[in-house]
Amino acid sequence: MEQTFIMVKPDGVENGVIGQVIARFEEKGYKLLQASVTTIKPELAEKHYEAHKDRDFFPDLVSFITSGPVVPMVWQGENIIEEARKLIGATDPKKAEPGTIRADFGSSISTNVVHGSDSKENALREIELFFNTRFE
Ligand code: IDP
Ligand code: MG
């Protein structure tokens, strides 16, 4: 069964929507395997977002994701990597489909509530980075 890495970002924690994010996944029948509440260090944030290291928004991205508590999670389900991206919606909440997490709870392209892995390779990489574990 497929696993993905989902993380409620500092704006989602601050705005009190952790439970609603979790509910969206539970309603789909997905299973929560791991979760924590933690404030991550810049070193971990830089590794997590290393694909974006040359982008002009990278410093702001690292500073935002380390600015307060986040909720990293591992979820499991059929085709969950792709399905989670649909539940989450487009990166910019203004462009996200109505009914998606980002459309409903996001406020800007940087404060967009939640992260979700975009591929099998990145799901494995991100799960190992945050939980030092593989679930197979
Ligand atoms: P994703 O989270 O939808 O996968 P990515 O392109 O992987 O989007 O970007 C990672 C994160 O970087 C986004 O969730 C968003 O918070 C931030 N980001 C992406 N593009 C921009 C931008 O143009 N300006 C500011 N922040 C951005
Ligand atoms: Mg991404």
Side-chain angles (χ1 to χ4, degrees):
M1 189 80 78
E2 196 168 85
Q3 286 99 28
T4 194
F5 177 74
I6 302 295
M7 178 165 61
V8 181
K9 297 187 180 186
D11 60 313
V13 175
E14 180 64 27
N15 294 331
V17 299
I18 299 166
Q20 295 186 76
V21 170
I22 289 174
R24 300 275 169 119
F25 286 84
E26 287 184 329
E27 282 159 11
K28 284 277 181 181
Y30 299 134
K31 191 173 164 197
L32 182 60
L33 299 186
Q34 283 268 30
S36 71
V37 182
T38 178
T39 301
I40 65 175
K41 293 192 162 62
E43 189 190 24
L44 176 58
E46 284 165 14
K47 280 188 196 153
H48 173 65
Y49 281 127
E50 71 186 8
H52 303 293
K53 66 177 188 303
D54 297 328
R55 305 294 299 273
D56 56 357
F57 61 79
F58 185 71
D60 288 343
L61 179 57
V62 170
S63 108
F64 171 65
I65 208 72
T66 57
S67 67
V70 293
V71 181
M73 300 179 278
V74 179
W75 284 86
Q76 176 170 278
E78 203 81 54
N79 200 28
I80 193 170
I81 297 172
E82 192 182 330
E83 292 301 321
R85 298 278 296 185
K86 288 186 200 154
L87 277 181
I88 291 168
T91 308
D92 183 349
K94 288 179 213 71
K95 294 179 185 154
E97 289 285 320
T100 60
I101 293 169
R102 284 171 169 166
D104 290 350
F105 307 119
S107 38
S108 77
I109 195 161
S110 39
T111 53
N112 62 3
V113 197
V114 65
H115 166 85
S117 307
D118 64 4
S119 65
K120 271 189 188 193
E121 183 192 353
N122 280 330
L124 276 176
R125 188 182 74 84
E126 292 165 2
I127 289 167
E128 284 203 286
L129 204 51
F130 280 81
F131 291 103
N132 299 309
T133 324
R134 273 177 188 256
F135 297 91
E136 311 216 64

